[in-house]
Structure formats: C-alpha cells, structure tokens
Amino acid sequence: GAVVSQHPSWVICKSGTSVKIECRSLDFQATTMFWYRQFPKQSLMLMATSNEGSKATYEQGVEKDKFLINHASLTLSTLTVTSAHPEDSSFYICSAVNQLAGTDSQYFGPGTRLTVL
Amino acid sequence: QKEVEQDPGPLSVPEGAIVSLNCTYSNSAFQYFMWYRQYSRKGPELLMYTYSSGNKEDGRFTAQVDKSSKYISLFIRDSQPSDSATYLCAMSDVDSNYQLIWGAGTKLIIKP
C-alpha cells in the first residue's frame, strides 16, 4: 500500500516552454501532497504544500506564478513549471500523506528529472 | 545552526558490518521521527517511523530516538551492498501540518 506515482519520469524541454508533472496516490486518498526539488548531492528542498480543494502554500523564495500547483482531487496533484529556463533543471519529487494511516509519514513518488535546454 | 544536523558522509563500511547513522536536532517539539532511504535518481522510501522516544526494530533495521539528547539513530545489521544509498532523517512536530524537517542525508557505501 501507499504507492505514489509520478509522470513523466523524465522530460527535456526547450527554454520558454511549460512542463506539467503529475503526482498520483494510487491506493489511498491524500488531502495533502508536497512538492520538492532536489539538486545533485543535496537534500530535498520543500517547494510547496498542496491541499486538495484549496490554494497551495509556497515556501519562501518559491515563485507561485512560475510553479503552478493544482490539487484537483484526492489522488492527483500537478506541478506546472511555466516558462522554464535552464536553472529550473532539477529533480522534482512529490509526496503524499496517508492521513488514514494515522502517521505523519510521507510517501514519495519516484521523481521527475527535468532538463531545460 | 540548522534544525536538523546530519553528516553527509560518505560512510564506507565492509559488507556484513553494523552501520550506525545519526541525526541531531534542536527543536524539542519534534515528536515524529522518520528514516528514509534514497537510491540514486529515485524518490525517498520510508524505512522507519517512530513516535516520541524509544526503539523500533524492523528486520535488520533498528531506529532509536533519545529525546533527552535530541539524537536519533538508525542501525543496520548485516549490511549488504544493496543497502548502499543515501539515508535521510526527517522529523516533525504535532503542529506541522505533516511538513517534515529534513537532514542533509548520509551517503552510505557498503563494500563487497
């Protein structure tokens, strides 16, 4: 149980285009999902908290107009990187909280590697 | 000072050795403690979850929490080359809305 999928697993795009990444909880409902980015050999950096049916909460320094988050259902959150630039190249990872499990544990997707040319 | 300190390593040990991974923290409000394992180019995988102080064992893995010292540990017995990965500690308090505070991760290398 507690499987989270991400799609796509990797994407290469041209500078200036937008990229959408999907995060799905496959066998549980998640009212709360998180989006992280991770640079090589560094730990996870929280970008935003995504709550189903409400606006995402962004961490300081993360541009909400650039990283659009939509948590439209209890099993799906999307992150859209708008007008991507090479500095947005990174590993993006989502996680979901299985609140019915009664813990604070987050279950992570496999990540999406974004390369912006 | 970071809220959670973790030595990034790398930590290299021979196969079969007992591995000890540690994190220290400064926020006494933390109640939930987790260890995640992350293989290269993959998302983190939850290994152990502990609430408050004490020990928890799962197979070859043992998690310890010492709240008085603000110190948590993960022990791996009979280490295998497949245990080679980055191990991240994470923790939260009751008011965190499920947000986790992460250690930097320790890269572990098990040599055959």
Side-chain angles (χ1 to χ4, degrees):
Chain A
V3 178
V4 177
S5 70
Q6 265 183 258
H7 178 80
S9 56
W10 59 271
V11 58
I12 302 173
C13 69
K14 292 182 179 180
S15 185
T17 60
S18 295
V19 175
K20 180 186 282 189
I21 303 170
E22 292 185 350
C23 177
R24 293 183 186 273
S25 55
L26 298 185
D27 52 1
F28 65 98
Q29 294 183 332
T31 56
T32 303
M33 291 184 172
F34 297 94
W35 286 97
Y36 295 84
R37 66 187 295 183
Q38 187 176 33
F39 293 103
K41 299 185 180 182
Q42 294 189 24
S43 190
L44 303 167
M45 184 187 81
L46 179 65
M47 298 176 65
T49 303
S50 170
N51 295 299
E52 187 267 339
S54 64
K55 291 183 179 180
T57 303
Y58 291 82
E59 294 301 300
Q60 192 173 9
V62 178
E63 299 175 57
K64 61 180 181 180
D65 295 330
K66 181 168 186 60
F67 298 100
L68 300 179
I69 291 173
N70 187 350
H71 194 153
S73 78
L74 288 171
T75 58
L76 173 64
S77 176
T78 60
L79 168 68
T80 301
V81 183
T82 62
S83 186
H85 288 93
E87 58 266 28
D88 298 324
S89 298
S90 188
F91 192 51
Y92 292 87
I93 309 174
C94 73
S95 71
V97 177
N98 184 358
Q99 284 146 307
L100 289 180
T103 75
D104 273 18
S105 304
Q106 294 180 23
Y107 297 91
F108 286 82
T112 297
R113 185 159 301 281
L114 170 64
T115 302
V116 184
L117 302 177
Chain B
Q1 182 190 9
K2 295 181 181 178
E3 275 195 285
V4 179
E5 298 278 359
Q6 184 178 10
D7 187 337
L11 174 63
S12 183
V13 301
E15 183 177 357
I18 296 175
V19 175
S20 173
L21 303 166
N22 312 292
C23 289
T24 60
Y25 62 95
S26 57
N27 187 347
S28 57
F30 288 147
Q31 295 280 358
Y32 304 96
F33 304 92
M34 285 141 271
W35 285 95
Y36 286 84
R37 176 175 63 194
Q38 186 177 23
Y39 292 110
S40 181
R41 297 174 180 262
K42 300 290 185 184
E45 170 195 9
L46 178 66
L47 275 181
M48 301 288 283
Y49 170 88
T50 309
Y51 171 69
S52 194
S53 285
N55 295 358
K56 187 172 185 178
E57 187 174 323
D58 184 0
R60 295 186 295 113
F61 298 90
T62 300
Q64 287 186 353
V65 175
D66 182 348
K67 291 191 69 181
S68 62
S69 302
K70 298 191 182 67
Y71 188 89
I72 69 170
S73 302
L74 177 70
F75 298 97
I76 307 174
R77 291 184 300 281
D78 188 24
S79 56
Q80 306 292 314
S82 58
D83 295 327
S84 298
T86 296
Y87 290 79
L88 301 115
C89 65
M91 47 199 81
S92 65
D93 62 43
V94 292
D95 297 322
S96 68
N97 191 29
Y98 304 105
Q99 283 195 18
L100 300 177
I101 307 300
W102 293 88
T106 299
K107 183 172 183 177
L108 174 65
I109 300 169
I110 308 297
K111 297 177 292 184

